[in-house]
Each structure stands twice: as C-alpha cells, then as structure tokens.
Amino acid sequence: MKNRQLPYIPIVMPRSKKYGSNYWNSRGLKVDRDVILYSDLEYDHWVRMETTPDVIEYCEQPLEINYVLNEKRHKTIFDMCALHKDGIRIFIEVKYEKDLKPTSRKYDVTMRQIEAQREWCRLNDVLHEVRTEKYIRTGPYAIENRLKILKSITNQKVPHFLQDVSDSIGNHKISIRNLCKNLMNLGLYDVFLACYWLYYIGTINVDLDSAIWNLDMEVWKVEPNKNH
C-alpha cells in the first residue's frame, strides 16, 4: 500500500436506490486500492484525475459535513479531494449542468449543498470546485483515450525500454507513426505502451481531447516545471 498523504478514508455508501443505479468499482493506481464511484459522471471525473499527472493522490467520498435547509439538518459528502504536486488540496463536487439551473427540481438542494461545502472549505482554508460534464468531458475522445491509457498501464508494468522511447521524443510534435520508424527495434504496441506510461507520469504531452490514439497521434515533451 502506498503512503497516504491525504488524511481521509473513502466513505462507502450502501448500494441503495439512491446510490446504486450507476455504481462503478475500479482499480486506482495512484492510491493502490479499489475505488468506488456512484455515477457515470463521477466515474469519468475519476478517469481524468487518475490520468492527470499533476494529481498525485486523491480520495473519493472523503468527508461528510452537516448543513441546514428549511430548518432541517442535512448531510453532504464531497465527491473527491485531490492533492496536487504543489501541495494544493482541492475538494470537488461533481454535478451535471442541468442540476445547476433554476429549472431543475434539484436546484435548491444542490445550491444549498454547494454553499455549505464552499463555506466549510473557506473556514478550513482549502479550495473548492464544482465540476460538471463541461470540465470532465472536454472533447469527443477525452474519456475514451484516458481509459485506453488506464487499461494498458493497469495490465502492463513500466517497460524496460521506456527511456529509449522518451529519448526519441523532443519538444516538437512527432506522430506515433514516425516514432515507430525511429524505433525499429520496438514493436508497434511497445511504442504505444511506452507513450501511455510517459503521458501518465507527466513526461510527454498528448492531445487527448480531439484526437484518437492511433498512428497519427502526435506527442511531444513536457516543458520542465510546466503542468498540462
């Protein structure tokens, strides 16, 4: 088990009617444990966090707080807390855009919930963000490409030829096709696997939002001390 920096343990909720309709259980490499998500959008957000090199650790459903609405006490659980390389912690609430509009039947409850979370974060001097599908699903291939990365690196360890592939990538964009031509000693899948790992650890940049992983995909080195 990896050493945890975040002082939270995921709150596991029962698979009731409220939480069980879109239930996901996946392996989180960054936290070295199974991760449970309770909606399709939460799952897609987790995929982004797991494949964002700047995020070094996270905890889903990390903390429950109380708030009052219509003179009644309610509870809300943050969807995630993410720890970044620079030490910044962000508490995150994942919501669909439609639930943030006054026409939604959930609007009053949703906004009061968010207000309570923001106030708690303000008092505890941590950041808070509401993330919707506009943030999470940023392009036609955003999630599909990241899932391809996760599937490969979950089943394959860091390859011994990773540095060879890394050394063949410079600051200018190069297609996987041309990268393969420069690495004739490696097979096609080897080059793809190395690129998956290099992106995952933050060595290279890739346009995951608007281009599909194939031979025409272009990769390039991340500039030192710059996040992507």
Side-chain angles (χ1 to χ4, degrees):
M1 180 67 70
K2 297 180 180 179
N3 293 327
R4 291 190 297 115
Q5 298 184 53
L6 291 174
Y8 308 109
I9 297 175
I11 298 171
V12 179
M13 294 177 286
R15 293 189 64 177
S16 61
K17 181 178 180 181
K18 179 179 180 181
Y19 295 112
S21 57
N22 293 298
Y23 182 95
W24 294 88
N25 189 331
S26 300
R27 187 68 182 173
L29 296 182
K30 288 183 178 179
V31 292
D32 192 26
R33 59 173 171 78
D34 288 343
V35 174
I36 299 175
L37 297 313
Y38 296 91
S39 76
D40 292 344
L41 194 60
E42 283 184 33
Y43 176 79
D44 287 355
H45 177 262
W46 166 76
V47 169
R48 287 198 73 104
M49 294 299 93
E50 185 64 53
T51 54
T52 297
D54 186 52
V55 174
I56 60 174
E57 188 183 342
Y58 56 80
C59 182
E60 74 286 7
Q61 315 293 327
L63 184 68
E64 180 181 85
I65 62 173
N66 297 312
Y67 67 97
V68 176
L69 176 64
N70 297 328
E71 299 182 352
K72 292 183 179 180
R73 185 177 293 274
H74 298 266
K75 296 178 180 180
T76 177
I77 300 176
F78 293 96
D79 287 321
M80 184 169 284
C81 178
L83 177 66
H84 291 249
K85 287 181 179 178
D86 57 9
I88 291 177
R89 280 188 296 159
I90 303 177
F91 281 82
I92 300 157
E93 183 64 17
V94 176
K95 293 292 184 187
Y96 285 98
E97 283 284 333
K98 61 182 177 62
D99 292 332
L100 301 179
K101 296 179 179 179
T103 52
S104 170
R105 61 182 178 82
K106 298 180 179 179
Y107 179 76
D108 289 341
V109 174
T110 297
M111 298 313 294
R112 181 65 188 96
Q113 176 191 28
I114 291 172
E115 179 186 341
Q117 291 187 0
R118 283 175 174 165
E119 178 64 9
W120 184 92
C121 289
R122 184 187 69 80
L123 293 174
N124 287 274
D125 196 27
V126 291
L127 297 179
H128 180 269
E129 288 186 7
V130 178
R131 295 178 178 176
T132 70
E133 61 267 34
K134 288 184 178 180
Y135 173 95
I136 298 166
R137 300 165 179 167
T138 47
Y141 306 110
I143 303 302
E144 179 183 349
N145 281 332
R146 287 170 171 82
L147 283 172
K148 189 174 293 186
I149 293 171
L150 285 182
K151 181 178 180 181
S152 293
I153 67 175
T154 299
N155 295 318
Q156 298 288 337
K157 295 181 179 180
V158 178
H160 64 84
F161 46 80
L162 190 70
Q163 191 60 48
D164 294 336
V165 178
S166 179
D167 290 342
S168 298
I169 301 173
N171 296 326
H172 299 288
K173 294 181 178 180
I174 182 172
S175 69
I176 300 292
R177 187 187 308 278
N178 287 332
L179 195 57
C180 288
K181 291 179 181 178
N182 296 339
L183 294 162
M184 296 294 290
N185 58 314
L186 296 179
L188 176 61
Y189 179 75
D190 292 336
V191 176
F192 272 109
L193 177 62
C195 286
Y196 294 153
W197 271 108
L198 289 170
Y199 177 82
Y200 185 76
I201 64 178
T203 300
I204 64 172
N205 265 317
V206 188
D207 178 10
L208 295 181
D209 290 340
S210 57
I212 193 72
W213 271 108
N214 58 26
L215 288 172
D216 295 320
M217 175 71 87
E218 293 180 319
V219 299
W220 65 100
K221 276 279 175 62
V222 171
E223 294 182 41
N225 300 321
K226 278 199 172 184
N227 299 326
H228 59 95

